Amino acid sequence: HTAEGLPLIGLPALRLSRSSRVMKRTMDLVLSITGLILLSPLFLAVAVWIKLDSRGQVFFRQLRMGSGDQTFEIFKFRTMLADADKRKGEYAALNKHVDGDSRMFKIPKDPRVTRGGKILRRFSVDELPQLINVVRGEMSLVGPRPLILEEDLHVVDWRRQRLNLKPGITG
């Protein structure tokens, strides 16, 4: 467009058409179901490894914020000790954001991570069970990462528009 000879660029609304949404969902289903089938031997091997490495569940489940302010339970392979969330306070002083953004909690070389968990995280194998979330319709293969509820509380104003999109395994 132009306004008094000045060129302007307009951006369309950030919404997918109905046909694009159907195509994206179809691709999500086909690719994630195929991935779950092909990766099932790996899933079994990782499950056995986790059980042998430490006590607790094979899957880590956590509430995350999904599209439209709806929460859902995300699935990951457990890479930390079973009581890692309860022990978070013990390690607060190790948080690399302790002097900066206190909303973030990241510990370099986190002592709560299991031996096997280090390897699973290095190769992002712990993220593969999110294919289950994709099949369930809670996530997509591509979209913004789903926030944990504590981090979501700090997303305000126009930044909440990211929640109009279905969260994804990859950004």
Side-chain angles (χ1 to χ4, degrees):
H1 306 285
T2 60
E4 297 186 21
L6 185 66
L8 302 174
I9 298 174
L11 297 174
L14 298 174
R15 300 207 193 295
L16 291 176
S17 67
R18 180 174 166 79
S19 61
S20 294
R21 283 194 313 269
V22 169
M23 181 171 287
K24 186 174 193 317
R25 178 69 181 140
T26 301
M27 286 181 55
D28 280 347
L29 279 171
V30 168
L31 293 173
S32 58
I33 290 171
T34 302
L36 284 169
I37 292 168
L38 294 176
L39 293 170
S40 60
L42 176 65
F43 273 49
L44 181 62
V46 169
V48 169
W49 188 19
I50 290 171
K51 288 306 257 183
L52 293 174
D53 190 37
S54 64
R55 292 185 314 178
Q57 300 290 322
V58 169
F59 291 113
F60 171 71
R61 299 173 182 203
Q62 185 180 51
L63 274 181
R64 298 287 180 106
M65 186 58 68
S67 60
D69 286 335
Q70 296 294 312
T71 59
F72 70 96
E73 203 171 48
I74 197 169
F75 291 92
K76 290 184 168 191
F77 283 122
R78 184 176 55 80
T79 59
M80 292 184 146
L81 300 172
D83 63 348
D85 274 345
K86 293 176 188 162
R87 298 176 68 186
K88 193 174 176 179
E90 295 176 36
Y91 300 100
L94 301 176
N95 183 6
K96 72 178 186 179
H97 298 286
V98 76
D99 294 327
D101 190 350
S102 61
R103 298 173 295 182
M104 301 293 287
F105 190 83
K106 304 288 181 203
I107 300 175
K109 298 184 181 170
D110 195 326
R112 301 171 301 159
V113 176
T114 63
R115 290 176 309 208
K118 291 174 188 171
I119 295 168
L120 294 176
R121 285 178 172 207
R122 184 179 312 136
F123 297 103
S124 298
V125 174
D126 62 320
E127 307 283 343
L128 292 176
Q130 292 172 43
L131 292 171
I132 297 166
N133 292 109
V134 175
V135 172
R136 292 171 58 166
E138 299 158 335
M139 292 179 70
S140 180
L141 291 173
V142 178
R145 289 297 297 152
L147 297 174
I148 61 173
L149 301 184
E150 295 161 357
E151 291 173 357
D152 178 69
L153 294 173
H154 301 285
V155 179
V156 294
D157 303 324
W158 60 270
R159 293 170 190 91
R160 292 207 64 78
Q161 288 181 14
R162 77 187 295 279
L163 299 175
N164 294 337
L165 299 171
K166 191 176 287 190
I169 295 176
T170 61

